[in-house]
Amino acid sequence: MKPPSARSRRHPFDAEQLLREAGLKATSPRIALLRALHAAARPLSAAALHASVGGDADVVTLYRNLEVFAAQGLARRIEGREGHALYECVDDTHTHHHHVTCTVCGRMEDVELCVPPRVLEEVSKKARFAEIQDHVIELYGICAACQASLTKIRP
Amino acid sequence: MKPPSARSRRHPFDAEQLLREAGLKATSPRIALLRALHAAARPLSAAALHASVGGDADVVTLYRNLEVFAAQGLARRIEGREGHALYECVDDTHTHHHHVTCTVCGRMEDVELCVPPRVLEEVSKKARFAEIQDHVIELYGICAACQASLTKIRP
DNA sequence: TTGACAAATGCAAGTTATTTGCGTTTACTA
DNA sequence: TAGTAAACGCAAATAACTTGCATTTGTCAA
């Protein structure tokens, strides 16, 4: 039914090497975490990641590493709507993008829309910002599946 | 030095009436909170709002009311980057907009950019969403003032 | 290979932001 | 102006992280 995942890989994913390239020690909690992030189809919470790496890392280590990964550009932190952060992998197969989230079931999809560079320039001029370094766009709506089940209940 | 605030008002701001129009009891904690939100130039944290209303509301009441206000469309909750939520007023003088935040000093400015309707349509089609109800755009950068002081230290 | 050493880890114990339970008070309505 | 549901405030609980510190572990140079 589904098309093959965009995450299918030609080369095996080498977490250890990625870590060393980023100047980080390749410890087993880090390897497990990076693999979990890479394998995830969508941004995950710290709790979900902890469950996913199983006994391979203490929660504290996990938080510390998520911070390190974000600083090194291996992962990206996004603020979910439920008051906790979500993390996603940043690599060749996961380039800059944004999200749509279903407000009913919480499912997230990547979307390609982005802020055009000239708009960023305009904003930085108007708001007197020397530089715009980063941005986040989050869309919220109701996915087709949830809409369908809502309609059943209350047409 | 500064141009007159966009928040200058022709009519006095009637918190009680706004509350009743929203179907809410006009209690003094609510009136104080709504006034504080209305008077704020930028989104405020729950802590800042609590400080701002002084003894006029317990923190718990404040949280409960922020939730109620958000549900009634009197206020909007946005997820700050520091792990706590920020709240801002929604009224005639505070219509739909987004923010740029200085990553050095934390100052926020409103910006006018938005996602064009046809992009939303396109996204909802591609991502199989029945409807896109809401969206958030947050820009991050360095404001002119912070850039200036950074340059002084490390040109 | 080894062995020194900084970096990274894991517990335990904090913090901070926000929520829940519950008895009391208060604004609205008849 | 009395009755009542809604809103309040206090205390205590929870969730999401963070910090301190003693212990372990990759790395790198010998």
Side-chain angles (χ1 to χ4, degrees):
Chain A
M1 205 64 103
K2 277 188 181 173
S5 161
R7 189 171 311 259
S8 61
R9 33 186 157 102
R10 294 155 217 118
H11 339 284
F13 171 74
D14 190 343
E16 298 196 29
Q17 178 164 337
L18 280 171
L19 287 167
R20 292 207 194 87
E21 278 170 9
L24 301 173
K25 277 195 186 177
T27 64
S28 78
R30 282 184 180 163
I31 295 165
L33 175 57
L34 195 48
R35 287 207 183 117
L37 283 167
H38 185 263
R42 300 291 157 231
L44 296 179
S45 65
L49 284 164
H50 188 224
S52 163
V53 300
D56 283 341
D58 188 84
V59 214
V60 176
T61 302
L62 198 127
Y63 275 111
R64 286 199 267 237
N65 282 328
L66 286 169
E67 202 183 325
V68 171
F69 286 10
Q72 298 309 313
L74 289 171
R76 193 161 79 112
R77 174 192 169 121
I78 63 189
E79 306 298 330
R81 261 198 171 176
E82 303 82 28
H84 57 250
L86 300 175
Y87 300 86
E88 68 185 348
C89 201
V90 174
D91 63 26
D92 309 345
T93 54
H94 306 74
T95 49
H96 180 78
H97 64 272
H98 301 290
H99 306 106
V100 221
T101 306
C102 175
T103 53
V104 178
C105 66
R107 220 186 76 222
M108 290 180 108
E109 292 280 334
D110 293 352
V111 296
E112 284 159 36
L113 86 168
C114 203
V115 186
R118 57 166 297 281
V119 172
L120 289 179
E121 258 179 60
E122 199 181 305
V123 165
S124 80
K125 194 171 297 177
K126 274 197 193 169
R128 296 171 165 273
F129 264 59
E131 191 187 348
I132 307 288
Q133 306 160 317
D134 191 15
H135 64 268
V136 170
I137 305 177
E138 297 291 331
L139 306 177
Y140 298 95
I142 300 184
C143 74
C146 287
Q147 181 65 291
S149 40
L150 287 179
T151 310
K152 252 185 226 167
I153 300 163
R154 201 169 190 291
Chain B
M1 203 67 97
K2 277 188 183 175
S5 160
R7 190 167 313 256
S8 62
R9 38 191 157 96
R10 294 153 218 120
H11 338 285
F13 171 75
D14 189 342
E16 298 196 29
Q17 178 165 337
L18 281 171
L19 287 167
R20 290 205 194 88
E21 278 170 9
L24 301 171
K25 277 194 186 178
T27 64
S28 77
R30 282 185 179 162
I31 295 164
L33 175 57
L34 194 48
R35 286 207 182 118
L37 283 166
H38 185 261
R42 300 290 157 232
L44 297 178
S45 65
L49 284 164
H50 188 224
S52 164
V53 301
D56 283 341
D58 186 83
V59 215
V60 176
T61 302
L62 198 128
Y63 276 109
R64 285 198 267 237
N65 281 330
L66 285 170
E67 200 183 326
V68 171
F69 286 10
Q72 298 310 314
L74 289 171
R76 193 162 79 111
R77 174 192 170 124
I78 63 189
E79 305 298 329
R81 262 198 171 178
E82 304 82 30
H84 56 250
L86 301 174
Y87 301 84
E88 69 185 347
C89 200
V90 174
D91 64 26
D92 308 344
T93 54
H94 305 74
T95 49
H96 180 77
H97 65 271
H98 302 290
H99 306 106
V100 221
T101 307
C102 175
T103 53
V104 178
C105 66
R107 220 186 76 222
M108 289 181 109
E109 291 280 333
D110 292 353
V111 296
E112 284 160 35
L113 86 168
C114 204
V115 185
R118 57 166 297 282
V119 172
L120 290 179
E121 259 179 59
E122 199 182 304
V123 165
S124 80
K125 194 171 297 177
K126 274 198 194 169
R128 296 171 163 273
F129 265 60
E131 191 186 349
I132 307 287
Q133 306 161 317
D134 191 15
H135 64 268
V136 170
I137 304 178
E138 297 291 331
L139 305 177
Y140 298 96
I142 300 184
C143 74
C146 286
Q147 181 64 289
S149 40
L150 287 177
T151 310
K152 252 185 224 166
I153 299 164
R154 201 171 189 288

